Amino acid sequence: MVYDIGIIGGGTAGMTAAVYGQRAGKRTIMIEGMNYGGQITVSPKVENYPGIASVSGAEFSMNLLDQAMGLGAETELEQVTGIHEEGGLKVIETEGKEYPCRTVIIATGVSHRHLGLEKEEKLMGAGVSYCATCDGAFFKGKDVAVIGGGNTALQDADFLSNYCNKVYLVHRRDEFRGEAGLVEPLKKKDNVEFVLSATVKDILGENVVEGLVINNKKTGEDFQISVSGVFVAIGQVPDNQAFSGLVDLDETGFVAASEDCMTSRPGIFAAGDCRTKGVRQLTTAAADGAVAALAACKYISMQET
Ligand code: NAP
């Protein structure tokens, strides 16, 4: 069985590529390692996708998955370990199987950046979380901290303030990177406290999170806050090492590809947050999925002539 388009990753970019691939009459398979939908599934509200005033991330991604599967896209839940070339085809490798494809679209997205603190890994699931919408309910009535100053941290602080007794929003600068429209409502909440120009030096607690040691960057002083939960929302990092032998990555691990989604290897394309780009949004992920799938179709036509 040879697929026309093999898509690695089942987030917005991958699923959009599957829609475009199937609509162009190509046999398409999408291989996802964890859960279909990608990052957006945990966004409580999406209000910046053109034509949709407001939708939950989960509903958005399930609709997109239904659309791709309804058009006949095949799907597999497997971890991709690499790609190799054989007999003019690109072969996607997983732990147990191989999927020969005429073209491949890498749409692996990004994963959560970690603070890099000693206790962070140890207390993951015991108070350290990277997903407020997934774990927030466990902290009902408790005091928690959100770390970060982007849209995710702002949205997480807002979401948690509805459940928790107190939410500390700890950010390393005085100004937020995220949108002012998300900052203003937080200022009005009695149970949200901004801790600015501050970095987390240590997580307290042996078996569960009990608090944080914070460093005030302006005064240089350390102080402690008591919290049962710490939600780390400091951005994302790519995970493309499995493809590093075949396509060029930039120095931070993103697949080197421009707006045409072409990688350094003919027939392999990169779509969405996993590639080098200036704006990582739902709209740009969807746009990349379309661009990459149409480029893959064009590549297949050129190979056939
Ligand atoms: P982000 O925009 O990259 O923000 C990451 C934040 O974490 C920044 O404030 C950064 O500080 C801070 N940070 C990074 N490394 C740190 C470290 N080692 N220690 C402490 N703080 C650190 O990430 P994001 O909030 O996850 O958002 C990712 C993308 O998704 C963005 O484009 C965002 O707009 C988008 N998004 C959109 C929505 C929406 O529109 N509804 C919701 C969520 C996310 P500095 O500011 O000092 O660099």
Side-chain angles (χ1 to χ4, degrees):
M1 164 84 59
V2 173
Y3 292 93
D4 293 313
I5 308 176
I7 300 165
I8 305 173
T12 301
M15 292 193 289
T16 306
V19 167
Y20 273 75
Q22 286 298 129
R23 282 175 57 85
K26 302 296 178 218
R27 182 163 199 156
T28 304
I29 185 162
M30 183 172 73
I31 307 171
E32 161 62 42
M34 296 271 277
N35 301 305
Y36 298 112
Q39 285 179 76
I40 202 64
T41 51
V42 297
S43 247
K45 254 196 259 173
V46 179
E47 295 183 330
N48 57 5
Y49 196 84
I52 304 176
S54 185
V55 65
S56 77
E59 189 184 348
F60 174 87
S61 49
M62 284 310 106
N63 283 343
L64 185 48
L65 180 62
D66 283 348
Q67 190 180 0
M69 291 177 76
L71 287 164
E74 293 174 47
T75 54
E76 287 290 342
L77 271 180
E78 280 184 82
Q79 197 67 45
V80 170
T81 51
I83 311 168
H84 69 268
E85 288 188 303
E86 195 180 310
L89 297 172
K90 329 283 176 202
V91 182
I92 300 177
E93 304 156 16
T94 67
E95 271 148 18
K97 289 191 202 157
E98 292 195 336
Y99 298 88
C101 305
R102 291 192 172 86
T103 61
V104 169
I105 297 173
I106 300 171
T108 44
V110 284
S111 34
H112 300 290
R113 178 179 286 125
H114 290 198
L115 287 163
L117 297 169
E118 206 186 320
K119 296 260 186 73
E120 191 175 359
E121 311 294 320
K122 185 183 168 195
L123 296 179
M124 205 183 292
V128 174
S129 169
Y130 299 86
C131 179
T133 38
C134 318
D135 301 330
F138 298 122
F139 297 87
K140 201 172 172 188
K142 307 245 172 84
D143 291 358
V144 299
V146 173
I147 319 300
N151 281 345
T152 303
L154 296 169
Q155 280 195 331
D156 285 359
D158 180 58
F159 178 78
L160 291 164
S161 70
N162 298 323
Y163 291 92
C164 299
N165 179 55
K166 169 116 193 181
V167 179
Y168 295 96
L169 179 55
V170 183
H171 177 40
R172 65 183 177 184
R173 289 188 295 131
D174 268 349
E175 279 178 18
F176 288 105
R177 179 177 292 274
E179 293 164 27
L182 294 173
V183 177
E184 291 311 311
L186 287 178
K187 285 184 182 165
K188 296 188 184 117
K189 295 211 167 192
D190 290 339
N191 65 340
V192 176
E193 182 177 330
F194 293 173
V195 184
L196 301 179
S197 291
T199 53
V200 182
K201 223 171 148 181
D202 200 6
I203 301 172
L204 301 170
E206 281 313 310
N207 300 313
V208 290
V209 170
E210 290 171 7
L212 296 176
V213 179
I214 311 261
N215 179 258
N216 179 322
K217 285 172 67 185
K218 287 193 171 156
T219 63
E221 281 170 18
D222 291 345
F223 60 98
Q224 294 186 9
I225 55 173
S226 294
V227 289
S228 328
V230 50
F231 290 85
V232 181
I234 59 167
Q236 284 96 21
V237 284
D239 184 13
N240 294 318
Q241 282 315 311
F243 319 118
S244 61
L246 207 55
V247 296
D248 290 348
L249 306 182
D250 78 357
E251 63 286 353
T252 48
F254 290 98
V255 179
S258 60
E259 294 306 309
D260 58 11
C261 297
M262 306 265 187
T263 70
S264 56
R265 179 77 52 168
I268 300 186
F269 306 87
D273 287 2
C274 70
R275 77 165 177 89
T276 49
K277 57 165 42 201
V279 180
R280 293 191 169 84
Q281 291 282 306
L282 198 57
T283 44
T284 59
D288 272 15
V291 171
L294 295 176
C297 294
K298 193 172 171 191
Y299 178 87
I300 292 167
S301 305
M302 280 162 51
Q303 297 298 103
E304 285 170 349
T305 53

